[in-house]
Amino acid sequence: MEKIRFGCHSFLNAKPIINYLLQKKEYKDKIDLFLGSPSEISDKLLAAELDIGFIPSIEFLKNDNLYLLPDFSISAYGKVMSVLLISEKEIKDIENILLDTRSRTSIVLLNIILKKKYGITPSFITPLEGGEKKRYDARLLIGDEALEFTYEKKGKEAGKIIDLAEEWHEITGLPFVFAVIASRKKEVPKQFLKILKESRDRGIKNIEEIAEGEYKTCNIKKEALIDYLKNRIDYFLTDKEIEGLKAFQEISFKKGLIETKYDFTFATAI
């Protein structure tokens, strides 16, 4: 097998999938692992700087030249704790929101929920536009920062807090798929899939060990990390996750958030 350039986001929820890739020397001879934000991974994959990447689901839905790897995702069946809308106002009164642009999927999901459930279309501000210096009514918080906000009760005085995955599940009854693994080529080496599956399965079995190593470098208690990684995140891509991904595609298309809708094409193992 030629060495695979594989990109994965560096948020905590990916640790059970990549932890053993980082630890095992024999994996390093076969996989060149790049860590970055979800949007960075997507950009590098589309620019052919990566062969395979764990990318935001919205980026997969926008690009019909990518192939979906079976059996892998970052999904949630309800409250996820790491993708939040935090508002000082009642939701119906929000006029503008400061975004976190590292996760494009979360931005589209936020747009859908605000339109579909609350009937509002606030303006969005990004940090690049000087958003953090402007006054805003609400803020999209994602990743490890959102986890600290949730588990360590830093947000208890913040006013309204909405968990976007929980809102999606209430609206659709389906899991929300935040990220999938996609390939630029239809054919993917069996050995790569075997290594990735082995890494994920071992990671899931050893979440307590992963939490033990991670909590010392973040502001989240070990017990909270275990709850998040074990009970809030799903790491597979079953028929149910595919159904959730297709629902996300359908709603995004109808609301004009993606330009086209196409059938998913799965990568094949060789």
Side-chain angles (χ1 to χ4, degrees), residues 183-233:
S183 170
R184 290 181 54 81
K185 296 180 179 179
K186 184 174 175 58
E187 296 180 337
V188 175
K190 285 182 180 178
Q191 191 175 7
F192 173 79
L193 294 173
K194 181 180 178 182
I195 290 171
L196 199 60
K197 183 178 184 300
E198 178 183 337
S199 180
R200 180 203 55 201
D201 293 350
R202 290 187 66 180
I204 290 172
K205 289 179 181 177
N206 292 280
I207 280 176
E208 289 84 357
E209 177 186 319
I210 293 171
E212 178 71 33
E214 292 295 328
Y215 91 95
K216 298 172 184 176
T217 60
C218 65
N219 296 317
I220 307 169
K221 293 182 177 66
K222 182 173 70 173
E223 294 75 16
L225 284 182
I226 292 172
D227 174 66
Y228 174 64
L229 295 174
K230 182 177 286 188
N231 302 321
R232 307 296 174 181
I233 300 296

Short mmCIF file of all heavy atoms in Angstrom, two decimals, residues 183-233:
data_model
loop_
_atom_site.label_atom_id
_atom_site.label_comp_id
_atom_site.label_asym_id
_atom_site.label_seq_id
_atom_site.Cartn_x
_atom_site.Cartn_y
_atom_site.Cartn_z
N SER A 183 -13.02 10.22 0.23
CA SER A 183 -11.82 9.98 -0.56
C SER A 183 -11.92 10.67 -1.90
O SER A 183 -13.01 10.81 -2.47
CB SER A 183 -11.64 8.47 -0.78
OG SER A 183 -10.62 8.21 -1.71
N ARG A 184 -10.78 11.10 -2.41
CA ARG A 184 -10.75 11.68 -3.75
C ARG A 184 -10.87 10.59 -4.82
O ARG A 184 -11.31 10.86 -5.93
CB ARG A 184 -9.44 12.45 -3.96
CG ARG A 184 -9.35 13.73 -3.14
CD ARG A 184 -8.04 14.45 -3.41
NE ARG A 184 -7.86 14.70 -4.83
CZ ARG A 184 -8.43 15.70 -5.50
NH1 ARG A 184 -9.21 16.55 -4.86
NH2 ARG A 184 -8.20 15.86 -6.78
N LYS A 185 -10.48 9.37 -4.47
CA LYS A 185 -10.54 8.26 -5.42
C LYS A 185 -11.59 7.26 -4.97
O LYS A 185 -11.82 7.06 -3.78
CB LYS A 185 -9.17 7.56 -5.50
CG LYS A 185 -8.07 8.45 -6.06
CD LYS A 185 -6.75 7.69 -6.12
CE LYS A 185 -5.63 8.55 -6.69
NZ LYS A 185 -4.34 7.82 -6.74
N LYS A 186 -12.21 6.61 -5.95
CA LYS A 186 -13.24 5.63 -5.64
C LYS A 186 -12.66 4.39 -4.97
O LYS A 186 -13.28 3.77 -4.11
CB LYS A 186 -14.00 5.23 -6.92
CG LYS A 186 -15.15 4.27 -6.67
CD LYS A 186 -15.94 4.03 -7.94
CE LYS A 186 -17.04 2.99 -7.74
NZ LYS A 186 -17.99 3.33 -6.68
N GLU A 187 -11.44 4.03 -5.36
CA GLU A 187 -10.82 2.83 -4.81
C GLU A 187 -9.90 3.19 -3.65
O GLU A 187 -9.03 4.06 -3.78
CB GLU A 187 -10.03 2.10 -5.90
CG GLU A 187 -10.93 1.57 -7.02
CD GLU A 187 -10.15 0.85 -8.10
OE1 GLU A 187 -8.93 1.11 -8.23
OE2 GLU A 187 -10.74 0.02 -8.80
N VAL A 188 -10.13 2.54 -2.52
CA VAL A 188 -9.36 2.80 -1.29
C VAL A 188 -8.73 1.49 -0.84
O VAL A 188 -9.39 0.44 -0.83
CB VAL A 188 -10.29 3.35 -0.18
CG1 VAL A 188 -9.53 3.49 1.13
CG2 VAL A 188 -10.88 4.68 -0.60
N PRO A 189 -7.45 1.50 -0.48
CA PRO A 189 -6.78 0.26 -0.06
C PRO A 189 -7.47 -0.40 1.13
O PRO A 189 -7.79 0.26 2.13
CB PRO A 189 -5.37 0.73 0.31
CG PRO A 189 -5.16 1.98 -0.47
CD PRO A 189 -6.51 2.64 -0.51
N LYS A 190 -7.68 -1.71 1.02
CA LYS A 190 -8.28 -2.47 2.13
C LYS A 190 -7.47 -2.31 3.41
O LYS A 190 -8.02 -2.27 4.51
CB LYS A 190 -8.36 -3.95 1.76
CG LYS A 190 -9.45 -4.31 0.77
CD LYS A 190 -9.46 -5.82 0.53
CE LYS A 190 -10.53 -6.21 -0.47
NZ LYS A 190 -10.52 -7.67 -0.74
N GLN A 191 -6.16 -2.24 3.25
CA GLN A 191 -5.30 -2.15 4.42
C GLN A 191 -5.54 -0.86 5.19
O GLN A 191 -5.53 -0.84 6.42
CB GLN A 191 -3.82 -2.26 4.01
CG GLN A 191 -2.89 -2.43 5.19
CD GLN A 191 -1.45 -2.66 4.76
OE1 GLN A 191 -1.12 -2.57 3.58
NE2 GLN A 191 -0.59 -2.96 5.71
N PHE A 192 -5.77 0.23 4.46
CA PHE A 192 -6.07 1.50 5.12
C PHE A 192 -7.37 1.39 5.91
O PHE A 192 -7.45 1.82 7.07
CB PHE A 192 -6.18 2.63 4.10
CG PHE A 192 -6.66 3.93 4.69
CD1 PHE A 192 -5.79 4.75 5.39
CD2 PHE A 192 -7.99 4.32 4.58
CE1 PHE A 192 -6.23 5.94 5.96
CE2 PHE A 192 -8.44 5.50 5.14
CZ PHE A 192 -7.56 6.32 5.83
N LEU A 193 -8.41 0.82 5.30
CA LEU A 193 -9.69 0.67 5.98
C LEU A 193 -9.56 -0.22 7.21
O LEU A 193 -10.16 0.05 8.25
CB LEU A 193 -10.72 0.08 5.01
CG LEU A 193 -11.12 0.98 3.83
CD1 LEU A 193 -12.01 0.21 2.87
CD2 LEU A 193 -11.82 2.24 4.31
N LYS A 194 -8.76 -1.27 7.08
CA LYS A 194 -8.54 -2.18 8.21
C LYS A 194 -7.85 -1.46 9.37
O LYS A 194 -8.23 -1.61 10.53
CB LYS A 194 -7.70 -3.37 7.76
CG LYS A 194 -7.45 -4.40 8.85
CD LYS A 194 -6.60 -5.55 8.33
CE LYS A 194 -6.31 -6.55 9.45
NZ LYS A 194 -5.43 -7.67 8.97
N ILE A 195 -6.83 -0.67 9.05
CA ILE A 195 -6.10 0.07 10.08
C ILE A 195 -7.02 1.08 10.77
O ILE A 195 -7.03 1.20 11.99
CB ILE A 195 -4.89 0.80 9.45
CG1 ILE A 195 -3.82 -0.21 9.03
CG2 ILE A 195 -4.30 1.82 10.43
CD1 ILE A 195 -2.69 0.40 8.21
N LEU A 196 -7.81 1.80 9.97
CA LEU A 196 -8.69 2.82 10.53
C LEU A 196 -9.77 2.19 11.41
O LEU A 196 -10.08 2.69 12.50
CB LEU A 196 -9.33 3.62 9.40
CG LEU A 196 -9.91 4.98 9.77
CD1 LEU A 196 -8.84 5.89 10.34
CD2 LEU A 196 -10.56 5.63 8.56
N LYS A 197 -10.32 1.07 10.96
CA LYS A 197 -11.33 0.37 11.76
C LYS A 197 -10.73 -0.15 13.06
O LYS A 197 -11.34 -0.04 14.13
CB LYS A 197 -11.93 -0.78 10.95
CG LYS A 197 -13.05 -1.52 11.67
CD LYS A 197 -13.62 -2.62 10.80
CE LYS A 197 -14.81 -3.30 11.47
NZ LYS A 197 -14.47 -3.93 12.76
N GLU A 198 -9.53 -0.71 12.96
CA GLU A 198 -8.86 -1.21 14.16
C GLU A 198 -8.61 -0.08 15.15
O GLU A 198 -8.82 -0.23 16.36
CB GLU A 198 -7.54 -1.88 13.78
CG GLU A 198 -6.74 -2.40 14.96
CD GLU A 198 -5.40 -2.97 14.55
OE1 GLU A 198 -5.25 -3.37 13.38
OE2 GLU A 198 -4.49 -3.01 15.40
N SER A 199 -8.16 1.07 14.64
CA SER A 199 -7.89 2.21 15.50
C SER A 199 -9.17 2.68 16.19
O SER A 199 -9.19 2.93 17.40
CB SER A 199 -7.27 3.34 14.69
OG SER A 199 -6.98 4.45 15.51
N ARG A 200 -10.25 2.81 15.41
CA ARG A 200 -11.52 3.25 16.00
C ARG A 200 -12.04 2.27 17.04
O ARG A 200 -12.44 2.66 18.14
CB ARG A 200 -12.57 3.44 14.92
CG ARG A 200 -13.91 3.91 15.48
CD ARG A 200 -15.07 3.59 14.58
NE ARG A 200 -15.13 2.18 14.24
CZ ARG A 200 -15.77 1.69 13.18
NH1 ARG A 200 -16.40 2.52 12.37
NH2 ARG A 200 -15.78 0.40 12.93
N ASP A 201 -12.06 0.99 16.69
CA ASP A 201 -12.63 -0.01 17.60
C ASP A 201 -11.84 -0.09 18.90
O ASP A 201 -12.42 -0.24 19.99
CB ASP A 201 -12.68 -1.37 16.91
CG ASP A 201 -13.68 -1.40 15.75
OD1 ASP A 201 -14.45 -0.43 15.60
OD2 ASP A 201 -13.67 -2.38 14.98
N ARG A 202 -10.52 0.01 18.80
CA ARG A 202 -9.70 0.01 20.02
C ARG A 202 -9.93 1.29 20.82
O ARG A 202 -9.96 1.27 22.05
CB ARG A 202 -8.23 -0.13 19.65
CG ARG A 202 -7.86 -1.51 19.11
CD ARG A 202 -6.38 -1.64 18.92
NE ARG A 202 -5.66 -1.59 20.19
CZ ARG A 202 -4.34 -1.68 20.29
NH1 ARG A 202 -3.59 -1.82 19.21
NH2 ARG A 202 -3.76 -1.63 21.48
N GLY A 203 -10.11 2.40 20.11
CA GLY A 203 -10.36 3.66 20.79
C GLY A 203 -11.66 3.64 21.57
O GLY A 203 -11.73 4.10 22.72
N ILE A 204 -12.71 3.09 20.97
CA ILE A 204 -14.01 3.01 21.63
C ILE A 204 -13.93 2.14 22.88
O ILE A 204 -14.54 2.43 23.91
CB ILE A 204 -15.08 2.48 20.66
CG1 ILE A 204 -15.37 3.53 19.57
CG2 ILE A 204 -16.37 2.12 21.39
CD1 ILE A 204 -16.26 3.04 18.46
N LYS A 205 -13.16 1.06 22.80
CA LYS A 205 -13.01 0.17 23.95
C LYS A 205 -12.17 0.79 25.07
O LYS A 205 -12.21 0.32 26.21
CB LYS A 205 -12.37 -1.15 23.50
CG LYS A 205 -13.29 -2.03 22.67
CD LYS A 205 -12.58 -3.30 22.24
CE LYS A 205 -13.48 -4.17 21.38
NZ LYS A 205 -12.77 -5.39 20.89
N ASN A 206 -11.40 1.81 24.72
CA ASN A 206 -10.47 2.39 25.70
C ASN A 206 -10.72 3.89 25.91
O ASN A 206 -9.78 4.67 26.06
CB ASN A 206 -9.03 2.15 25.25
CG ASN A 206 -8.65 0.69 25.29
OD1 ASN A 206 -8.31 0.15 26.33
ND2 ASN A 206 -8.70 0.04 24.13
N ILE A 207 -11.98 4.28 25.93
CA ILE A 207 -12.32 5.69 26.10
C ILE A 207 -11.84 6.23 27.45
O ILE A 207 -11.37 7.37 27.55
CB ILE A 207 -13.83 5.91 25.91
CG1 ILE A 207 -14.14 5.94 24.41
CG2 ILE A 207 -14.31 7.20 26.59
CD1 ILE A 207 -15.59 6.04 24.05
N GLU A 208 -11.92 5.41 28.49
CA GLU A 208 -11.44 5.86 29.81
C GLU A 208 -9.96 6.21 29.75
O GLU A 208 -9.52 7.22 30.33
CB GLU A 208 -11.69 4.79 30.87
CG GLU A 208 -13.15 4.60 31.25
CD GLU A 208 -13.89 3.68 30.29
OE1 GLU A 208 -13.27 3.24 29.29
OE2 GLU A 208 -15.08 3.41 30.54
N GLU A 209 -9.19 5.40 29.04
CA GLU A 209 -7.76 5.65 28.90
C GLU A 209 -7.51 6.94 28.12
O GLU A 209 -6.62 7.74 28.47
CB GLU A 209 -7.11 4.46 28.19
CG GLU A 209 -5.63 4.62 27.90
CD GLU A 209 -5.08 3.48 27.06
OE1 GLU A 209 -5.47 2.32 27.30
OE2 GLU A 209 -4.28 3.76 26.15
N ILE A 210 -8.28 7.15 27.06
CA ILE A 210 -8.15 8.38 26.26
C ILE A 210 -8.49 9.60 27.11
O ILE A 210 -7.79 10.61 27.10
CB ILE A 210 -9.05 8.30 25.01
CG1 ILE A 210 -8.53 7.22 24.06
CG2 ILE A 210 -9.10 9.65 24.30
CD1 ILE A 210 -9.46 6.91 22.91
N ALA A 211 -9.58 9.50 27.87
CA ALA A 211 -9.99 10.61 28.73
C ALA A 211 -8.93 10.91 29.78
O ALA A 211 -8.68 12.07 30.12
CB ALA A 211 -11.33 10.28 29.41
N GLU A 212 -8.29 9.87 30.29
CA GLU A 212 -7.23 10.04 31.28
C GLU A 212 -6.09 10.88 30.71
O GLU A 212 -5.51 11.73 31.39
CB GLU A 212 -6.70 8.67 31.72
CG GLU A 212 -5.56 8.70 32.72
CD GLU A 212 -6.00 9.14 34.10
OE1 GLU A 212 -7.14 8.85 34.50
OE2 GLU A 212 -5.19 9.80 34.79
N GLY A 213 -5.77 10.65 29.44
CA GLY A 213 -4.69 11.40 28.81
C GLY A 213 -5.08 12.80 28.40
O GLY A 213 -4.23 13.70 28.35
N GLU A 214 -6.37 13.02 28.11
CA GLU A 214 -6.80 14.30 27.56
C GLU A 214 -7.20 15.32 28.62
O GLU A 214 -6.99 16.52 28.43
CB GLU A 214 -7.99 14.09 26.61
CG GLU A 214 -7.64 13.34 25.33
CD GLU A 214 -6.68 14.09 24.44
OE1 GLU A 214 -6.73 15.34 24.42
OE2 GLU A 214 -5.87 13.43 23.76
N TYR A 215 -7.77 14.88 29.72
CA TYR A 215 -8.33 15.86 30.67
C TYR A 215 -7.25 16.72 31.31
O TYR A 215 -7.51 17.84 31.75
CB TYR A 215 -9.18 15.15 31.73
CG TYR A 215 -8.45 14.73 32.98
CD1 TYR A 215 -8.44 15.53 34.12
CD2 TYR A 215 -7.77 13.51 33.04
CE1 TYR A 215 -7.77 15.14 35.27
CE2 TYR A 215 -7.10 13.11 34.18
CZ TYR A 215 -7.11 13.93 35.30
OH TYR A 215 -6.45 13.54 36.43
N LYS A 216 -6.02 16.23 31.32
CA LYS A 216 -4.93 16.99 31.93
C LYS A 216 -4.52 18.19 31.09
O LYS A 216 -3.87 19.10 31.58
CB LYS A 216 -3.72 16.07 32.13
CG LYS A 216 -4.00 14.91 33.08
CD LYS A 216 -2.85 13.92 33.10
CE LYS A 216 -3.17 12.71 33.98
NZ LYS A 216 -2.10 11.69 33.94
N THR A 217 -4.89 18.18 29.81
CA THR A 217 -4.50 19.28 28.92
C THR A 217 -5.68 20.17 28.54
O THR A 217 -5.54 21.02 27.67
CB THR A 217 -3.85 18.72 27.64
OG1 THR A 217 -4.78 17.87 26.97
CG2 THR A 217 -2.60 17.93 27.97
N CYS A 218 -6.84 19.94 29.15
CA CYS A 218 -8.00 20.79 28.87
C CYS A 218 -8.69 21.13 30.19
O CYS A 218 -8.28 20.67 31.25
CB CYS A 218 -8.97 20.11 27.90
SG CYS A 218 -9.76 18.63 28.55
N ASN A 219 -9.72 21.93 30.11
CA ASN A 219 -10.40 22.39 31.32
C ASN A 219 -11.70 21.62 31.56
O ASN A 219 -12.70 22.19 32.01
CB ASN A 219 -10.69 23.89 31.21
CG ASN A 219 -9.43 24.71 31.16
OD1 ASN A 219 -8.48 24.46 31.91
ND2 ASN A 219 -9.38 25.69 30.27
N ILE A 220 -11.68 20.33 31.25
CA ILE A 220 -12.86 19.49 31.41
C ILE A 220 -12.49 18.29 32.29
O ILE A 220 -11.45 17.66 32.08
CB ILE A 220 -13.38 18.99 30.05
CG1 ILE A 220 -13.58 20.17 29.09
CG2 ILE A 220 -14.69 18.22 30.21
CD1 ILE A 220 -13.82 19.76 27.66
N LYS A 221 -13.32 17.98 33.24
CA LYS A 221 -13.06 16.86 34.14
C LYS A 221 -13.08 15.53 33.37
O LYS A 221 -13.79 15.38 32.38
CB LYS A 221 -14.08 16.83 35.27
CG LYS A 221 -13.98 18.00 36.24
CD LYS A 221 -14.99 17.86 37.36
CE LYS A 221 -14.85 18.99 38.38
NZ LYS A 221 -15.19 20.30 37.82
N LYS A 222 -12.33 14.57 33.88
CA LYS A 222 -12.22 13.27 33.22
C LYS A 222 -13.59 12.60 33.07
O LYS A 222 -13.90 12.03 32.02
CB LYS A 222 -11.27 12.36 34.00
CG LYS A 222 -11.07 10.99 33.35
CD LYS A 222 -10.01 10.18 34.06
CE LYS A 222 -10.47 9.73 35.42
NZ LYS A 222 -9.50 8.80 36.05
N GLU A 223 -14.42 12.67 34.10
CA GLU A 223 -15.73 12.03 34.06
C GLU A 223 -16.60 12.64 32.96
O GLU A 223 -17.38 11.94 32.30
CB GLU A 223 -16.44 12.16 35.41
CG GLU A 223 -15.78 11.41 36.55
CD GLU A 223 -14.50 12.07 37.06
OE1 GLU A 223 -14.28 13.26 36.74
OE2 GLU A 223 -13.73 11.39 37.76
N ALA A 224 -16.47 13.95 32.77
CA ALA A 224 -17.23 14.63 31.72
C ALA A 224 -16.76 14.19 30.34
O ALA A 224 -17.57 13.99 29.43
CB ALA A 224 -17.10 16.15 31.87
N LEU A 225 -15.45 14.04 30.18
CA LEU A 225 -14.91 13.58 28.90
C LEU A 225 -15.39 12.17 28.58
O LEU A 225 -15.73 11.86 27.43
CB LEU A 225 -13.38 13.60 28.93
CG LEU A 225 -12.69 14.96 28.81
CD1 LEU A 225 -11.18 14.78 28.80
CD2 LEU A 225 -13.14 15.69 27.56
N ILE A 226 -15.41 11.32 29.59
CA ILE A 226 -15.89 9.95 29.37
C ILE A 226 -17.35 9.96 28.94
O ILE A 226 -17.75 9.27 28.00
CB ILE A 226 -15.71 9.10 30.65
CG1 ILE A 226 -14.21 8.89 30.92
CG2 ILE A 226 -16.43 7.75 30.52
CD1 ILE A 226 -13.92 8.24 32.26
N ASP A 227 -18.16 10.77 29.61
CA ASP A 227 -19.57 10.87 29.23
C ASP A 227 -19.72 11.35 27.79
O ASP A 227 -20.51 10.80 27.02
CB ASP A 227 -20.30 11.84 30.18
CG ASP A 227 -21.73 12.09 29.73
OD1 ASP A 227 -22.54 11.14 29.77
OD2 ASP A 227 -22.04 13.23 29.33
N TYR A 228 -18.96 12.37 27.43
CA TYR A 228 -19.06 12.93 26.08
C TYR A 228 -18.65 11.90 25.03
O TYR A 228 -19.40 11.65 24.07
CB TYR A 228 -18.17 14.17 25.98
CG TYR A 228 -18.08 14.75 24.59
CD1 TYR A 228 -19.20 15.29 23.98
CD2 TYR A 228 -16.87 14.77 23.91
CE1 TYR A 228 -19.13 15.83 22.70
CE2 TYR A 228 -16.79 15.31 22.63
CZ TYR A 228 -17.92 15.84 22.03
OH TYR A 228 -17.84 16.36 20.77
N LEU A 229 -17.48 11.30 25.19
CA LEU A 229 -16.96 10.39 24.17
C LEU A 229 -17.72 9.07 24.11
O LEU A 229 -17.85 8.46 23.04
CB LEU A 229 -15.48 10.12 24.43
CG LEU A 229 -14.55 11.33 24.29
CD1 LEU A 229 -13.13 10.96 24.72
CD2 LEU A 229 -14.56 11.87 22.87
N LYS A 230 -18.27 8.65 25.25
CA LYS A 230 -18.95 7.35 25.29
C LYS A 230 -20.44 7.46 25.01
O LYS A 230 -21.02 6.59 24.34
CB LYS A 230 -18.73 6.70 26.66
CG LYS A 230 -19.34 5.32 26.80
CD LYS A 230 -19.03 4.69 28.15
CE LYS A 230 -17.59 4.22 28.22
NZ LYS A 230 -17.33 3.44 29.47
N ASN A 231 -21.08 8.53 25.48
CA ASN A 231 -22.54 8.61 25.43
C ASN A 231 -23.11 9.64 24.46
O ASN A 231 -24.29 9.58 24.14
CB ASN A 231 -23.09 8.92 26.84
CG ASN A 231 -22.67 7.88 27.86
OD1 ASN A 231 -22.64 6.69 27.57
ND2 ASN A 231 -22.34 8.32 29.06
N ARG A 232 -22.29 10.57 24.01
CA ARG A 232 -22.81 11.65 23.15
C ARG A 232 -22.44 11.49 21.69
O ARG A 232 -23.14 12.00 20.81
CB ARG A 232 -22.28 13.01 23.64
CG ARG A 232 -22.52 13.29 25.11
CD ARG A 232 -23.98 13.37 25.45
NE ARG A 232 -24.21 13.50 26.88
CZ ARG A 232 -25.41 13.57 27.44
NH1 ARG A 232 -26.50 13.51 26.69
NH2 ARG A 232 -25.54 13.67 28.75
N ILE A 233 -21.34 10.80 21.42
CA ILE A 233 -20.83 10.69 20.05
C ILE A 233 -20.99 9.27 19.53
O ILE A 233 -20.73 8.29 20.23
CB ILE A 233 -19.34 11.09 19.98
CG1 ILE A 233 -19.15 12.53 20.46
CG2 ILE A 233 -18.79 10.93 18.57
CD1 ILE A 233 -19.83 13.57 19.61
#
